[in-house]
Amino acid sequence: MSIVMNLYYTGINGNARKFAEEMESSGTADLIRRESGNERYEYFLPIDDPETVLLIDMWKDQESIDIHHASPMMETIAQLREKYDLHMRAERYVTDEQGIPHSDTKFIKE
């Protein structure tokens, strides 16, 4: 089981994208990727909303998320969110250890 957080950052004048670019260029995103328990940390740009960036953030368990949230890294992230005046919404999912049901595999091309 893994915990997946979809975080939607929304701003104006391209600020969400600037935030994601600074997270990458400053090395902050790479530091998060190297944290114990982090399994995925990737930014995506929705085609139909140029003012939003989606972050898919996946962790092996809640303890890993709690340690991340208690780290000094969160202050850096909060400062950048404030700098770019971003608003957020979040979705939380838990992966299914059983994998993809056989009835669905015919729709997936690997």
Side-chain angles (χ1 to χ4, degrees):
M1 173 193 87
S2 296
I3 299 170
V4 180
M5 296 298 301
N6 286 354
L7 300 170
Y8 297 85
Y9 293 98
T10 302
I12 59 171
N13 300 320
N15 279 350
R17 184 178 187 133
K18 292 172 191 171
F19 163 80
E21 289 170 349
E22 187 165 344
M23 285 289 292
E24 291 291 344
S25 67
S26 69
T28 303
D30 281 333
L31 290 172
I32 294 168
R33 290 180 186 111
R34 289 195 295 266
E35 285 185 275
S36 178
N38 185 268
E39 297 176 343
R40 183 177 189 187
Y41 194 89
E42 293 182 84
Y43 291 100
F44 295 90
L45 305 172
I47 291 172
D48 62 345
D49 185 355
E51 296 299 341
T52 296
V53 169
L54 165 64
L55 168 63
I56 299 179
D57 191 14
M58 186 163 70
W59 298 86
K60 79 173 187 174
D61 54 26
Q62 185 60 49
E63 181 181 10
S64 299
I65 295 172
D66 293 342
I67 291 169
H68 168 66
H69 285 161
S71 75
M73 192 100 46
M74 290 307 297
E75 181 61 28
T76 300
I77 295 168
Q79 289 173 355
L80 286 176
R81 285 193 306 234
E82 188 66 26
K83 173 182 177 180
Y84 292 107
D85 191 24
L86 299 179
H87 300 274
M88 296 173 59
R89 74 180 166 88
E91 300 169 341
R92 181 184 171 105
Y93 303 96
V94 177
T95 60
D96 179 0
E97 289 197 19
Q98 302 299 317
I100 298 170
H102 180 67
S103 60
D104 292 341
T105 59
K106 65 183 174 184
F107 299 104
I108 297 177
K109 180 179 179 182
E110 292 186 16

